[in-house]
Amino acid sequence: MNVIVTGAGGFIGQALAVALLADSSVSSLTLTDVSEPPLPSAACSNIKTLCIAADLTSVETCKSLFTADVTVVYLLHGLMSGAAEANLELGLKVNLDSMRCVMDILREVNLGVRVVFPSSCAVYGPPQSPAAVITERDAPLPGSSYGAQKLIIEILLNDFSRRGLLDGRILRLPTIMVRPGAPSGAASSFASGIFRETLKGEKSILPVPKSQEVWICSPKTVVENLIRARDIPVEKFGGKSRVVNLPGVTVTVQEMLDVVKSVGGEEALSLVEEKKDETIERIVASWPTRLNTARAKELGFKDDGSLIETVRDYIEQHATSFFLGILFSLFPYDYPLLWTATPTPPSHFAILENHLALLHASPPIIPRILHIVISVGLIGFFIKLYRPSESNALFDGASLVLYMCGVIVYLANIVKGLRVVSSGKYDQELVEGELAVGVKGVEAGQEVPLGRDDSLRVLAASNTILALVLVGVLVLQAGQWYAERKEGQELESMRKAEKEKAAKSGTQRTGSGKKKV
């Protein structure tokens, strides 16, 4: 299976790429965006992976990229809601003209190719009443240019699918949160910022009323449903519309703030600043907040968890990744001390010593942010283990043990080591002579001072141990995701087999009745 993902430089594009690279049915993966998208760390040798910078508003570029050998296309590129409202011409160029160009080329050179198009619930416009439940059959009336542009592409792809020119899967996505990274141009960006910024100790702007409701979904569930959309047999659509409302959860902004308080305390909550923005408020208020997802469940799409589950997944995984990033930045300094056969030159010890001393002398806000992130990670694990499922108890329990080992290494070795380096008093660090067996003049049981070079090696080794422990945490979390996915697939297969058995049994009974007559 040869797959192309456009807009692959974004968060969902990268997360989808990681999932596709773990899929044994994928033989080739092309990732493209305006700037060359990064290659996910999960990239493996048996899948041919290309990362390409491509301007998809150029017809020539599209012709060179979308060829006859492509099996599946994910159209993730686009201008976000707030930016599309602010710049109509650019929104039309990216969200409409570019998409039309890609689909026209595909239907000419690759008849019937599978196209997954993530649309948005913004196509509907404001509901007639706050309690109204929207289905796929409700007439869309977008309240923003972004929603209008998405709707036009929906109609085109649906018609191309009806004609057999393309095999479209149109998914109306909820607001995705919590997104890591910098704030995006989406009008809903504040929903992720409430958690992302405050849990990092930074201020977050709230541009809408606390009573505002939002239809949300976690990134993990969205990515899994993007994969499932690709694999749905065309017969299951039954010749009907290809549009599907993806599952989500309705929450108010006040409920989001309550979760911020429960996870980060009053200090985190105080960082949320209410600052009304009429444009964003109008756009967000034009989105439906209650959608009927019966068709999605019938097609095998996965339900999302609660808001607190979404937040806890975010904080434990990104706290671990944050810590790993810091350790990775130290690796060029640690490598010559631990992983080379040649003697480390004295100049490198001096450079490392100066670097660590500077790191330890950072302004108080730096270690404070680090310790907040560490604490948030711990809180995330404890929240996840509250009334755990069997899967949570196994994977999250083991993850918590590893995480605690990492915290102990950090406090016992790294914090202590930084203090020693900063003070320069290495000779006060004593070790048992047994740890230096074979050293001339050292007897068993005798305490000897740990010099500068050995102290720096111990610190480097502690960084490596901590990195391995944290990688173990991420591996366990990936294992949990994979186990839950496989379990869902097995349950779906069992339900399908039971339906087929029941249908067959009913047919046999009908046949027997006819014979008796």
Side-chain angles (χ1 to χ4, degrees):
M1 184 183 295
N2 300 325
V3 182
I4 292 181
V5 180
T6 68
F11 168 60
I12 293 299
Q14 285 287 292
L16 176 61
V18 170
L20 291 169
L21 287 167
D23 190 337
S24 58
S25 66
V26 176
S27 56
S28 171
L29 178 63
T30 300
L31 307 176
T32 178
D33 213 322
V34 177
S35 300
E36 182 177 322
L39 181 67
S41 57
C44 49
S45 56
N46 61 328
I47 295 180
K48 180 183 177 182
T49 309
L50 297 175
C51 298
I52 303 171
D55 177 10
L56 298 184
T57 62
S58 164
V59 176
E60 294 305 317
T61 300
C62 291
K63 285 182 177 179
S64 65
L65 189 62
F66 299 99
T67 56
D69 60 345
V70 176
T71 313
V72 180
V73 178
Y74 283 94
L75 295 178
L76 268 62
H77 70 284
L79 195 65
M80 304 301 280
S81 53
E85 189 70 16
N87 191 331
L88 176 62
E89 296 304 324
L90 185 59
L92 290 170
K93 186 176 182 181
V94 176
N95 295 342
L96 187 57
D97 299 341
S98 170
M99 291 288 183
R100 167 75 191 277
C101 176
V102 171
M103 291 193 298
D104 284 345
I105 290 169
L106 284 172
R107 65 188 177 91
E108 289 176 6
V109 303
N110 198 340
L111 193 68
V113 66
R114 193 156 293 186
V115 177
V116 181
F117 175 60
S119 186
S120 168
C121 61
V123 300
Y124 285 112
Q128 291 184 351
S129 69
V133 179
I134 308 299
T135 73
E136 289 88 350
R137 289 188 173 276
D138 282 289
L141 186 61
S144 65
S145 295
Y146 174 76
Q149 292 152 12
K150 286 285 188 182
L151 178 59
I152 293 169
I153 298 303
E154 278 190 14
I155 294 171
L156 278 174
L157 182 54
N158 207 51
D159 188 51
F160 290 167
S161 299
R162 180 187 64 82
R163 289 174 169 270
L165 302 174
L166 298 175
D167 180 7
R169 284 94 203 285
I170 302 164
L171 311 180
R172 288 177 177 168
L173 270 56
T175 293
I176 302 171
M177 56 170 289
V178 177
R179 291 174 178 262
S184 69
S188 60
S189 181
F190 73 90
S192 290
I194 287 174
F195 299 98
R196 183 182 57 233
E197 270 70 74
T198 58
L199 294 178
K200 290 192 299 183
E202 299 175 5
K203 184 174 289 187
S204 176
I205 302 298
L206 176 60
V208 300
K210 293 179 181 179
S211 58
Q212 176 66 54
E213 290 184 325
V214 188
W215 179 250
I216 67 165
C217 187
S218 69
K220 182 172 74 172
T221 301
V222 167
V223 169
E224 187 165 340
N225 282 334
L226 285 170
I227 297 292
R228 294 187 182 206
R230 176 200 70 187
D231 298 331
I232 297 172
V234 67
E235 298 81 18
K236 291 196 75 172
F237 288 100
K240 300 176 184 177
S241 167
R242 299 300 182 90
V243 174
V244 181
N245 291 334
L246 281 195
V249 180
T250 302
V251 298
T252 64
V253 171
Q254 183 59 59
E255 288 173 327
M256 296 181 195
L257 296 175
D258 291 342
V259 172
V260 170
K261 183 179 178 180
S262 66
V263 173
E266 289 287 353
E267 183 178 354
L269 186 61
S270 67
L271 293 171
V272 178
E273 179 185 342
E274 294 184 60
K275 191 176 181 181
K276 187 175 180 180
D277 186 315
E278 291 184 359
T279 300
I280 292 178
E281 185 177 345
R282 177 178 54 78
I283 293 173
V284 175
S286 73
W287 301 339
T289 57
R290 288 173 176 79
L291 280 75
N292 183 309
T293 59
R295 190 175 192 220
K297 292 171 185 176
E298 181 185 328
L299 291 170
F301 288 104
K302 180 184 176 182
D303 261 329
D304 197 29
S306 65
L307 176 59
I308 190 68
E309 289 173 341
T310 298
V311 175
R312 75 190 184 190
D313 285 339
Y314 169 78
I315 58 180
E316 69 181 31
Q317 292 171 18
H318 289 86
T320 302
S321 302
F322 179 84
F323 217 158
L324 272 173
I326 294 174
L327 294 173
F328 183 77
S329 69
L330 292 170
F331 190 69
Y333 296 94
D334 295 341
Y335 183 83
L337 276 66
L338 302 174
W339 308 105
T340 56
T342 56
T344 306
S347 59
H348 185 81
F349 285 105
I351 291 171
L352 176 57
E353 185 180 28
N354 289 333
H355 176 74
L356 294 175
L358 179 64
L359 190 65
H360 189 247
S362 300
I365 187 65
I366 303 299
R368 194 173 298 156
I369 290 173
L370 175 60
H371 295 154
I372 287 173
V373 172
I374 294 171
S375 301
V376 164
L378 271 177
I379 292 169
F381 281 116
F382 284 122
I383 293 174
K384 225 177 172 187
L385 285 169
Y386 177 67
R387 295 179 180 175
S389 64
E390 185 178 345
S391 171
N392 282 358
L394 177 63
F395 288 99
D396 290 322
S399 296
L400 178 59
V401 170
L402 283 179
Y403 197 87
M404 286 303 301
C405 289
V407 171
I408 291 169
V409 170
Y410 171 71
L411 294 175
N413 284 13
I414 296 177
V415 172
K416 185 178 180 181
L418 287 173
R419 288 173 180 166
V420 170
V421 171
S422 188
S423 66
K425 298 178 181 178
Y426 298 102
D427 56 341
Q428 294 184 6
E429 179 71 14
L430 301 178
V431 296
E432 292 289 336
E434 298 165 339
L435 299 179
V437 175
V439 177
K440 186 176 180 180
V442 177
E443 299 178 1
Q446 178 184 349
E447 290 187 335
V448 296
L450 197 62
R452 182 191 72 164
D453 294 2
D454 289 330
S455 293
L456 294 176
R457 286 193 178 95
V458 168
L459 199 51
S462 299
N463 290 338
T464 302
I465 292 169
L466 182 53
L468 292 173
V469 166
L470 294 177
V471 167
V473 172
L474 293 180
V475 168
L476 283 168
Q477 292 300 305
Q480 182 180 13
W481 170 81
Y482 181 77
E484 289 175 349
R485 181 184 175 194
K486 291 297 290 183
E487 182 183 13
Q489 291 173 344
E490 289 172 3
L491 288 173
E492 179 65 23
S493 299
M494 290 171 62
R495 282 194 291 266
K496 185 177 179 181
E498 287 174 0
K499 286 181 180 178
E500 290 175 352
K501 184 178 179 181
K504 186 177 180 181
S505 175
T507 303
Q508 289 175 347
R509 283 197 298 270
T510 303
S512 299
K514 287 181 178 179
K515 286 178 183 178
K516 288 179 182 179
V517 173

